[in-house]
Amino acid sequence: MGKKRIVIDTNNLISALGWEGNSRDLLNKVIDKEYEFIISIKQLEELKNVLDYPKFKFSEEQKRKFLEIIFKIVIVIKTKLKLNVCVDEKDNMFLECAVEGKADYLISGDGDLLRLKKFRNVKIVSVKEFLG
């Protein structure tokens, strides 16, 4: 059996950059190649936008380095699947990526996604549960 394939939501990626904790621990494991990290083009666009939110106060250097790291460790996919499962339509992109990328896990802090527990063959868990 190969490495677990995972999709990580934007909130966890932002948390990994900004704060110590489970999200950063998970990102470090991905950097150490313990898991295969799948991300869609839509997710990358959202990540770039969220990094620019003034409330986070990330410097241009922090953002540049973070994206550099992300690009070195991800498998980028272009999704074709269009799902309409989530209350917040933007969250569908995580399910689309997980299904098309044949992920084992979708790691999220979003209550609507976590309530699903599983979608098709993808387990939906919090970062704490995943690292558990």
Side-chain angles (χ1 to χ4, degrees), residues 4-16:
K4 289 178 185 166
R5 293 172 65 90
I6 62 173
V7 171
I8 304 171
D9 75 0
T10 306
N11 292 334
N12 279 304
L13 291 173
I14 295 295
S15 292

Side-chain angles (χ1 to χ4, degrees), residues 52-117:
D52 285 334
Y53 287 3
K55 69 179 181 180
F56 292 125
K57 298 181 174 90
F58 296 131
S59 70
E60 290 304 315
E61 180 71 2
Q62 283 176 305
K63 293 185 276 189
R64 185 188 60 74
K65 281 185 176 177
F66 185 67
L67 289 172
E68 248 176 46
I69 290 167
I70 295 296
F71 279 110
K72 285 180 185 171
I73 61 174
V74 297
I75 299 166
V76 180
I77 65 169
K78 183 173 183 186
T79 54
K80 294 180 182 84
L81 187 64
K82 294 282 184 232
L83 294 171
N84 188 10
V85 176
C86 300
V87 175
D88 182 351
E89 288 182 19
K90 287 192 316 191
D91 291 337
N92 288 312
M93 73 175 148
F94 300 108
L95 292 173
E96 293 162 359
C97 179
V99 170
E100 283 197 49
K102 297 179 176 42
D104 299 299
Y105 291 89
L106 166 52
I107 301 166
S108 177
D110 185 282
D112 289 330
L113 286 168
L114 290 170
R115 267 191 277 287
L116 295 172
K117 293 191 184 346

Side-chain angles (χ1 to χ4, degrees), residues 1-7 30 33-38 102-105 123 130:
M1 191 173 118
K3 294 178 187 173
K4 289 178 185 166
R5 293 172 65 90
I6 62 173
V7 171
V30 174
K33 305 209 182 302
E34 290 184 36
Y35 308 109
E36 290 183 353
F37 175 19
I38 304 152
K102 297 179 176 42
D104 299 299
Y105 291 89
K123 293 177 188 149
F130 183 78

